[in-house]
Amino acid sequence: MNFILLGPPGAGKGTQAKNVIKNFNMLHFSTGDMLREGKKLDKTINKFLLSGRLVPDEMVINIIKKRFERDDIKKGFLLDGFPRNLRQAEQLDLILESKNIKIDKVFFMDIGFDEAINRITGRRVCECGASYHITMLPPKKIGICDYCEADLIQRDDDKENVIRDRFTVYEKEIEPLIKYYKKIKLLVLIDGLKDEKDVFKQISSYILQ
Ligand code: AP5
């Protein structure tokens, strides 16, 4: 089974992706994570991340194309943060077609701007991949990761001025993408405002169909 998670910054895509891969044994491809990893080697990536703009399509499509070359793709996957615009969706279709792979569902997790700001400004992350929220999902010890005891940090693009720009980009690109997946009957609406368990329940119910 293969799925896509769409939604604004802070919608809970990463949180739900972790729940899905743990419970349904599939691969998780987050272009945001891949780019944050890649910025250590390619400094130009960081400029885009810090400005809240999208990294150029060619760059991201190439990353995805390369990842799809690997055989483990047959295990099933969840795409998180890709595609981000219509061009990326069309390119993804070409990659999938060449591999004879189909997408089963596209989950659209919607939350409003105020909730997104609240979630993102409170997010703290660890290098090990764990993610927290200072009030809604706090670590046991303030500022320290429960799993590896490293110091938690705030993502550079989680500052309020960058979040606004990320949201503006999102609002410009999302409508055509929604129309695209609605037209081919893959789109499923998920109420992202519910708590983490409830959102996972909604997503699981479609995966189990
Ligand atoms: P990316 O890393 O994809 O960021 P994003 O889409 O902005 O999403 P976030 O990671 O901010 O949020 P999320 O939805 O994963 O929420 P999370 O689960 O963490 O992209 C970053 C940048 O990379 C982009 O701006 C762009 O520059 C570049 N990029 C990435 N993909 C690209 C592409 N395809 N093309 C071009 N450029 C690309 O949750 C957030 C917080 O809320 C956490 O603290 C969490 O604990 C909490 N939370 C989660 N669920 C709930 C809930 N149900 N209730 C209450 N709190 C919750």
Side-chain angles (χ1 to χ4, degrees), residues 15-185:
T15 303
Q16 293 305 328
K18 281 183 194 144
N19 290 333
V20 170
I21 57 163
K22 195 167 120 201
N23 285 276
F24 294 102
N25 190 31
M26 55 180 69
L27 303 167
H28 175 205
F29 301 148
S30 154
T31 42
D33 288 348
M34 289 169 174
L35 291 166
R36 278 185 287 280
E37 194 52 39
K39 79 178 183 188
K40 293 171 195 160
L41 298 172
D42 183 345
K43 301 275 179 247
T44 56
I45 293 178
N46 209 25
K47 280 191 202 148
F48 290 100
L49 299 183
L50 287 177
S51 69
R53 281 179 295 154
L54 293 183
V55 171
D57 287 343
E58 283 67 28
M59 204 180 251
V60 186
I61 291 161
N62 271 334
I63 293 175
I64 289 292
K65 224 182 231 168
K66 264 198 200 138
R67 186 58 190 84
F68 273 73
E69 291 300 324
R70 286 167 52 182
D71 258 2
D72 62 352
I73 200 82
K74 292 175 193 130
K75 187 175 168 187
F77 57 82
L78 180 71
L79 277 167
D80 154 13
F82 184 91
R84 215 69 170 208
N85 57 28
L86 200 52
R87 173 136 193 273
Q88 292 184 8
E90 287 164 354
Q91 290 298 312
L92 174 65
D93 281 354
L94 293 178
I95 299 171
L96 295 175
E97 214 176 287
S98 72
K99 306 265 167 218
N100 205 16
I101 297 173
K102 284 200 162 29
I103 296 292
D104 294 286
K105 292 258 183 296
V106 176
F107 299 113
F108 175 45
M109 303 170 59
D110 207 8
I111 62 166
F113 179 69
D114 290 344
E115 178 66 10
I117 288 271
N118 177 28
R119 288 188 188 182
I120 296 176
T121 50
R123 174 168 51 193
R124 297 293 180 273
V125 295
C126 178
E127 283 236 318
C128 76
S131 175
Y132 302 86
H133 188 279
I134 50 173
T135 55
M136 293 183 283
L137 190 62
K140 290 183 190 125
K141 278 190 234 161
I142 296 173
I144 305 290
C145 179
D146 291 350
Y147 302 99
C148 68
E149 301 207 323
D151 288 340
L152 299 180
I153 52 161
Q154 187 172 32
R155 255 168 58 177
D156 290 333
D157 61 345
D158 277 356
K159 311 278 156 52
E160 201 161 330
N161 59 328
V162 188
I163 302 171
R164 283 179 196 281
D165 293 336
R166 284 163 61 195
F167 227 86
T168 306
V169 170
Y170 164 79
E171 284 182 330
K172 180 172 161 256
E173 305 287 1
I174 193 66
E175 254 338 288
L177 208 50
I178 297 293
K179 270 194 198 146
Y180 184 76
Y181 286 120
K182 224 183 219 171
K183 198 170 169 195
I184 52 176
K185 298 191 176 3

